[in-house]
Amino acid sequence: MHAYVLKRYGGPESARMMEVPAPVPGPRDLLVEVRAVGLNPVDFKFRQGKLRVILRPRLPLVLGNELAGNVVAVGSQVGRFRVGDPVFARVAKERAGAFAEQACVDEDHAAYMPRTLDFTDAAAVPLAGLTALQTLRDLLGVKPGQKLFISGGAGGVGTFAIQIAKWLGAHVTTTASKRGEALVRSLGCDEVIDYTVQDLSSVEGRFDAGLDLIGGKVLEQMFDIMKPGTMIVSVAGVPEPQTAIRDLGGRKVLSAVLWLISYGIRARARRRGVGYRYFFMHPSGRDLSLLAELIEQGKLKVVVDRTYPFAKIAEALDYVESGHAKGKVVVTIR
């Protein structure tokens, strides 16, 4: 089968389309004929080697973290799915393998596709949708009436986060350019800060919770606009010790490394009386089923910026890496 394979860490030349053997499903696996895959910043960051401290699978490796397609075979212990079922999934972090004509997915990581979506839109949901849901519901505990700040609301995770936050009852403020303002407002955002002309330090009022999707200077400024005793969760900043303990299987040595790496950002948070947590979402078929329900009920829209054919996946990744995408970028396999 054709697959997009990482041979070594580095730039775009480090990965290429190759013929590889089709994967063989284990007892709890679904073998999926992939119809479309979603692209995310984690894909090019992994290719660059920026995640080697956290994830270091053996190379060569078929890249890709989320997919939509049809089940073509099931393992001996699979009970919820049958051949022919349309599914979507975020594959396990250490497994990857979505950028291929066929991929294996643990049964617990998959869900039935929303009946209202085609494969292209369904492939855009798992990673970004799960990230938004788990950060807002589980870590920040967003409740009705709370004032929530989201940085980068027009991106892949942001477009889901705005809508899920509104579903949870929050008052949502986000950053966006003039180009992105119409999009985030159409998704229900209450207030928009044009980051090209307004600095976060000029924002009036204080927020009850913060979701950082940009990192860097924006994350640092977010600490100044939060109420004391509140929390910021980031998926783009610096991983901290709890990332290793809670999200990556209790890795104590890695926790010590991340304690050192994250000391500066944690110290800034303490000075402002704000909690800081970096989060790696976890695959969950149950959570995907909830997202599917919200989509079918019309409470959650999928925003796809561009689609590319499989032969142009390198070009698609370049576009994601440019940072200009509004919503998700999807590659169609079949």
Side-chain angles (χ1 to χ4, degrees):
M1 68 173 187
H2 288 94
Y4 193 62
V5 179
L6 179 67
K7 302 285 287 183
R8 55 184 170 78
Y9 296 112
E13 72 286 349
S14 302
R16 62 188 178 91
M17 196 75 73
M18 296 177 58
E19 281 281 345
V20 301
V24 178
R28 293 187 51 78
D29 286 344
L30 312 177
L31 180 62
V32 179
E33 181 181 66
V34 182
R35 299 291 299 276
V37 294
L39 273 58
N40 302 275
V42 68
D43 297 317
F44 66 78
K45 290 179 181 179
F46 184 86
R47 185 204 68 210
Q48 293 167 343
K50 291 183 177 180
L51 301 179
R52 277 182 290 180
V53 173
I54 296 170
L55 298 171
R56 193 187 287 266
R58 296 180 63 180
L59 302 184
L61 176 77
V62 178
L63 294 171
N65 292 284
E66 62 182 345
L67 57 80
N70 292 113
V71 176
V72 293
V74 298
S76 59
Q77 297 178 17
V78 171
R80 291 193 300 121
F81 298 95
R82 296 181 298 178
V83 171
D85 286 342
V87 298
F88 67 152
R90 197 282 194 221
V91 297
K93 300 180 185 74
E94 66 280 1
R95 192 173 204 175
F99 295 168
E101 292 177 321
Q102 292 187 339
C104 284
V105 180
D106 187 290
E107 176 184 27
D108 289 340
H109 298 166
Y112 292 104
M113 272 176 42
R115 291 170 297 210
T116 53
L117 296 186
D118 60 17
F119 289 106
T120 299
D121 284 346
V125 175
L127 192 148
L130 290 173
T131 299
L133 177 65
Q134 293 169 5
T135 52
L136 295 173
R137 181 194 63 189
D138 302 337
L139 273 74
L140 291 172
V142 172
K143 296 178 176 60
Q146 287 187 324
K147 295 180 65 178
L148 170 70
F149 182 85
I150 301 172
S151 64
V157 175
T159 54
F160 286 105
I162 290 169
Q163 298 176 85
I164 292 172
K166 295 304 296 180
W167 173 65
L168 292 170
H171 181 279
V172 179
T173 300
T174 193
T175 57
S177 64
K178 283 295 182 184
R179 176 173 168 244
E181 180 174 357
L183 171 61
V184 297
R185 288 197 183 278
S186 74
L187 299 175
C189 188
D190 299 288
E191 298 180 46
V192 182
I193 298 169
D194 184 349
Y195 65 83
T196 64
V197 297
Q198 184 178 0
D199 194 273
L200 289 188
S201 60
S202 65
V203 175
E204 296 183 1
R206 291 294 182 265
F207 293 90
D208 300 303
L211 174 57
D212 167 55
L213 307 176
I214 296 179
K217 182 181 178 181
V218 172
L219 171 58
E220 293 177 1
Q221 292 176 337
M222 284 177 64
F223 291 109
D224 299 327
I225 61 173
M226 303 296 297
K227 293 178 181 177
T230 56
M231 175 174 280
I232 293 172
V233 174
S234 176
V235 300
V238 181
E240 39 72 42
Q242 291 303 309
T243 308
I245 299 301
R246 297 187 182 184
D247 303 337
L248 297 171
R251 295 162 61 181
K252 294 182 179 180
V253 173
L254 178 60
S255 177
V257 172
L258 296 182
W259 189 93
L260 293 172
I261 292 174
S262 65
Y263 182 82
I265 196 70
R266 289 186 292 108
R268 186 180 185 93
R270 284 196 302 272
R271 289 195 296 269
R272 292 293 184 269
V274 177
Y276 173 71
R277 176 86 158 81
Y278 184 93
F279 181 62
F280 264 110
M281 54 73 62
H282 57 272
S284 169
R286 178 176 297 180
D287 283 349
L288 273 180
S289 293
L290 172 58
L291 293 174
E293 289 179 20
L294 294 176
I295 291 168
E296 291 175 352
Q297 293 168 4
K299 297 176 181 178
L300 188 61
K301 295 190 294 186
V302 180
V303 179
V304 174
D305 184 314
R306 295 184 184 180
T307 61
Y308 293 79
F310 196 21
K312 293 188 176 181
I313 190 170
E315 182 180 331
L317 276 171
D318 286 344
Y319 181 59
V320 174
E321 192 169 356
S322 75
H324 298 312
K326 304 302 180 189
K328 290 296 297 286
V329 176
V330 175
V331 168
T332 55
I333 307 293
R334 295 180 185 275

